Amino acid sequence: MEILINMIPSVLMIVAPILITAIGGMICERSGVVNIALEGLMSIGAFTAAAAHVLMEAAGAGGGSVWIALALGAAMGAIFSMIHAFAAISLNADQTISGTGINLLATGATIFAAQVLFNADRTREFRMGMQTDGLGFYPTAYIALVVVVVSWVLLYKLPFGMRLRACGEHPNAAESAGINVIRIRYIAVGISGLLAGLAGGAVVLTQTIQYTSNTINGRGFIALAAVSFGRWTPLGVTGAAFIFGFAQALSIIVVNFSALRSLPTEVFNIMPYLITLAALVIFSGKNYAPKAAGVAYEKGAS
Amino acid sequence: MSKDLTEKKSFLESEGTVSLLVVLLGFLCGTILVLLVGRNPLNMYKAIVQAMTGFDIDRGRLNVRYIGETLNYSVPFILCGFSMAFAARVGLFNIGGEGQYIVGMTVAQAVALLGPQIPGVHWMMAVAAAVVAGAFWGGIVGILKAKYEVSEVVSTIMLNYIALYLSRMVSFKLPGANTFRTDNFPETAKLTNDFFQQITRYSNLNNGVFLVVIAIVLYWFIMEKTSLGFGLRATGYNKDAALCSGIPVTRSITTSMAIAGAFAGLAGAIVILGSFAHGRVISGMDNYGFNGIAVALVGNSKALGVTLAGLLFGILKNAQPLMQSRQIPKEITLIIQGLIVVFIALRSGLYLFQQWRKTKQIKSGGEA
């Protein structure tokens, strides 16, 4: 039991970025745009935060540096997500293709920038990342909590959320009710980029000391899985992110459990993907996904 | 979009031309980026020329080894391109090339290390097993899609990571496995070709080339000349119409995903048995599968187009270290590849533009 309680901080550390990204992905899909670029956008945010923090640290910036770095990461994620928004919303492009393009681009762009800035295929190491509080929690855990609550209020308690959901279910009906589908979808993609960038920064500032091409390592895709497994609701996505994060945490601290020690760590790594796949099969037929997700919206064509 | 068959295609409506423009645009942006960070883009092109022809412009020396390596690097790009392309023809988006490649590679190395060492038969068994494994991994996606309506985009992404971790678990159990490699392969399992090695100054070029040529012909033949290919293409164009004309859509989807997986599985086998002397315990992805998506998009899912696009990606991959030694960050090639895919996504804007121009023409024609 004590071991489990001691696990809580590290579980939260791992869950927070996945949850933040997944909530962004959920909002994006609820508006009708599928964003498989989450992985790439997290990389962009992680690199930006790491590079900014290292440079500010070297310049003698104090404790505020991590927060500015985090904000810059989020901003960069939002900026890059606009490529996806422009392609998917304004040009009716295939959303999977433009998402794949951003993922490929992010791998190249981050390491390219590292080569230019630091003459290496990674950012320089920073001395001090985010600090834990008295309970051993990183601030990212609280940020994730705020993001979940705000997303719930936004989606279900505000007119904007109702409009956003309408865009994802039946954009033509939404448009005829006077809702600006294009604008709402742009905002939704922007939010997902912002949150993915923020989460990328959270990964790098709490879990490592530098950005490498391996830093994000599938977390964006786990977040994407959490959106499906969580059935596109804030509560469901939170539950999914916790299950996945717990599995990831187990792979790291499995040595503390004599009963599980003999299992290869890959068993835990595989869990999120396997659970999601199984869930998609079990829940097949009942369509929880937003109806218009992934379909380009052409004005007046219905 | 309906097109009059007799209407002559305008310049921008030819798929090949658009692909070429997209690639050029990608290189243009890459060149500008290199300039912006204060490096000389000429060095980038010198590296590309050297990777393509073996000729080092700075030193005036020719080394044919580079040609061999470029061809060898192109092999998995072409095959993973076919993996994506085959699925795309039935309207499926196969992001799972990476997983199918990993599964093929893992099975090939297992057979190479554990199979009977009969000359001439051993490597064939390893390759065949990899193709079957890749087909199985792709087939799962097809069944999930056809029977349970699970989006292939999500399921392939999940299966990529499942493949990665399964591969690690299996490879750890192979003879002599440590954290990154296994024992050396017996000679009977390798795809080495002495003649190729001699004429290319000991590059890694191997018998995999023959397998790729067979794959190219097979792809072209299935797609353009058989009723299976017709059924698959019909399913891709209009699922309901295909169903009504008696084409078994469910089976079409599963078959095509299995064949798509087979191509990627073959790529895995050729890479491990041709370019490595030992098995691998992989810690990450090789990204051939993901790049295969770009290859198929650039090549418009046609046999010739995919082959040419695969060669281009092979050249870029081989040019990477040559760029790095000329002070060009080698990741510029990844940026160019990423940009190419983004531009292909933006290509749909071109159709919007054409439609807009047509309506404008009709309107102005009416007024005149």
Side-chain angles (χ1 to χ4, degrees):
Chain A
M1 195 59 214
E2 206 188 321
I3 298 173
L4 279 178
I5 290 171
N6 290 338
M7 259 179 82
I8 294 174
S10 50
V11 169
L12 286 178
M13 176 185 81
I14 291 167
V15 167
I18 294 173
L19 180 53
I20 295 170
T21 308
I23 291 290
M26 177 196 75
I27 291 173
C28 194
E29 293 201 18
R30 286 304 282 266
S31 83
V33 181
V34 172
N35 190 352
I36 66 160
L38 294 175
E39 175 86 7
L41 295 170
M42 280 184 89
S43 304
I44 298 279
F47 167 78
T48 309
H53 185 46
V54 164
L55 294 176
M56 283 189 287
E57 213 175 40
S65 171
V66 282
W67 296 104
I68 301 170
L70 205 58
L72 286 174
M76 205 54 115
I79 291 170
F80 264 77
S81 73
M82 283 303 114
I83 302 176
H84 185 55
F86 179 65
I89 305 165
S90 295
L91 299 184
N92 297 343
D94 185 315
Q95 298 174 8
T96 315
I97 296 181
S98 81
T100 305
I102 293 172
N103 283 337
L104 287 173
L105 192 60
T107 333
T110 51
I111 305 298
F112 181 86
Q115 289 233 37
V116 172
L117 287 173
F118 305 105
N119 285 317
D121 62 352
R122 51 192 61 204
T123 64
R124 221 163 42 224
E125 297 158 13
F126 46 80
R127 278 196 298 279
M128 218 152 85
M130 276 192 169
Q131 298 303 305
T132 52
D133 62 10
L135 292 166
F137 297 164
Y138 281 105
T140 51
Y142 303 107
I143 297 175
L145 182 68
V146 171
V147 166
V148 171
V149 173
V150 168
S151 79
W152 181 80
V153 173
L154 180 84
L155 276 184
Y156 297 105
K157 295 291 157 197
L158 295 178
F160 177 79
M162 188 199 69
R163 293 185 192 128
L164 186 141
R165 284 183 287 132
C167 294
E169 293 295 332
H170 207 310
N172 288 309
E175 186 84 47
S176 58
I179 296 169
N180 188 338
V181 177
I182 308 273
R183 199 182 67 148
I184 285 193
R185 285 189 172 180
Y186 259 94
I187 294 172
V189 174
I191 291 174
S192 79
L194 187 90
L195 291 179
L198 177 81
V203 170
V204 97
L205 293 172
T206 60
Q207 298 174 29
T208 62
I209 48 165
Q210 62 185 173
Y211 175 83
T212 73
S213 60
N214 228 1
T215 299
I216 297 306
N217 197 19
R219 284 181 179 83
F221 289 131
I222 292 186
L224 196 68
V227 176
S228 304
F229 185 53
R231 296 194 219 164
W232 294 268
T233 66
L235 200 64
V237 169
T238 308
F242 265 92
I243 293 172
F244 297 170
F246 188 72
Q248 295 275 301
L250 268 181
S251 72
I252 298 168
I253 51 174
V254 66
V255 280
N256 296 328
F257 297 91
S258 52
L260 300 173
R261 206 177 297 163
S262 56
L263 286 173
T265 57
E266 283 79 13
V267 171
F268 302 103
N269 291 325
I270 240 171
M271 282 304 166
Y273 309 106
L274 213 54
I275 293 171
T276 304
L277 214 50
L280 287 173
V281 171
I282 292 165
F283 298 131
S284 77
K286 296 177 202 139
N287 246 331
Y288 295 103
K291 276 190 196 65
V295 187
Y297 170 61
E298 286 175 63
K299 222 172 178 171
S302 87
Chain B
M1 210 166 72
S2 65
K3 252 180 251 157
D4 192 346
L5 285 174
T6 53
E7 184 190 358
K8 207 180 158 220
K9 280 185 181 177
S10 84
F11 178 68
L12 283 176
E13 273 173 78
S14 151
E15 283 188 324
T17 320
V18 173
S19 283
L20 200 64
L21 281 178
V22 162
V23 170
L24 289 178
L25 202 56
F27 273 99
L28 182 68
C29 291
T31 310
I32 293 171
L33 189 60
V34 170
L35 270 176
L36 282 179
V37 298
R39 313 284 162 96
N40 184 356
L42 264 185
N43 286 335
M44 180 171 90
Y45 290 101
K46 280 179 188 165
I48 291 174
V49 169
Q50 193 178 349
M52 199 157 55
T53 64
F55 187 68
D56 184 341
I57 296 172
D58 289 332
R59 299 207 179 101
R61 256 187 282 166
L62 183 79
N63 185 350
V64 284
R65 190 171 195 272
Y66 288 107
I67 304 177
E69 292 295 356
T70 288
L71 286 176
N72 191 40
Y73 275 134
S74 305
V75 166
F77 285 123
I78 295 172
L79 290 172
C80 289
F82 282 143
S83 177
M84 165 76 189
F86 206 94
R89 283 293 190 91
V90 279
L92 295 178
F93 202 103
N94 181 17
I95 313 189
E98 196 65 40
Q100 295 143 16
Y101 163 89
I102 290 173
V103 168
M105 187 175 79
T106 312
V107 169
Q109 68 187 22
V111 174
L113 287 167
L114 304 171
Q117 297 177 20
I118 310 163
V121 176
H122 192 185
W123 70 264
M124 276 191 203
M125 282 175 59
V127 169
V131 170
V132 171
F136 170 72
W137 211 246
I140 295 176
V141 179
I143 290 172
L144 290 178
K145 170 84 180 179
K147 276 211 158 158
Y148 301 100
E149 291 178 14
V150 175
S151 151
E152 78 279 11
V153 172
V154 178
S155 69
T156 46
I157 290 173
M158 302 301 120
L159 283 166
N160 284 343
Y161 281 92
I162 294 174
L164 172 67
Y165 293 114
L166 268 184
S167 166
R168 282 177 62 79
M169 285 160 75
V170 170
S171 302
F172 269 132
K173 301 265 183 255
L174 292 174
N178 60 23
T179 50
F180 70 98
R181 58 164 289 179
T182 70
D183 274 346
N184 280 335
F185 292 140
E187 285 304 314
T188 48
K190 289 185 193 168
L191 295 175
T192 329
N193 181 315
D194 293 336
F195 175 68
F196 282 163
Q197 288 203 333
Q198 268 170 23
I199 60 165
T200 62
R201 281 211 192 171
Y202 296 93
S203 74
N204 277 318
L205 194 64
N206 54 63
N207 285 332
V209 170
F210 298 118
L211 297 172
V212 170
V213 172
I214 294 171
I216 294 170
V217 174
L218 214 59
Y219 177 87
W220 172 80
F221 188 77
I222 297 175
M223 270 305 162
E224 310 293 340
K225 299 287 164 198
T226 65
S227 63
L228 172 70
F230 177 76
L232 298 180
R233 273 188 294 154
T235 312
Y237 283 133
N238 189 336
K239 208 164 140 183
D240 298 325
L243 194 64
C244 290
S245 32
I247 291 164
V249 169
T250 306
R251 213 173 64 203
S252 274
I253 289 175
T254 311
T255 315
S256 69
M257 277 310 298
I259 295 176
F263 280 114
L266 178 62
I270 293 176
V271 166
I272 195 71
L273 301 177
S275 303
F276 285 84
H278 54 81
R280 300 163 70 198
V281 179
I282 47 174
S283 58
M285 307 208 171
D286 285 353
N287 285 332
Y288 285 122
F290 289 120
N291 282 306
I293 298 171
V295 170
L297 291 171
V298 174
N300 293 312
S301 300
K302 301 272 169 55
L304 179 66
V306 170
T307 308
L308 290 176
L311 283 169
L312 172 71
F313 276 54
I315 291 168
L316 287 176
K317 173 133 183 148
N318 195 23
Q320 280 194 338
L322 297 168
M323 289 183 185
Q324 196 72 35
S325 67
R326 286 183 166 90
Q327 284 78 48
I328 305 281
K330 64 177 190 297
E331 285 73 23
I332 188 69
T333 60
L334 303 180
I335 294 184
I336 292 173
Q337 288 164 3
L339 283 172
I340 288 174
V341 178
V342 170
F343 288 139
I344 285 177
L346 298 180
R347 187 167 65 178
S348 54
L350 205 58
Y351 298 131
L352 289 183
F353 171 72
Q354 280 164 354
Q355 276 175 340
W356 173 80
R357 209 174 50 177
K358 266 180 196 158
T359 41
K360 212 180 130 191
Q361 269 172 359
I362 293 165
K363 271 182 193 163
S364 61
E367 279 159 18

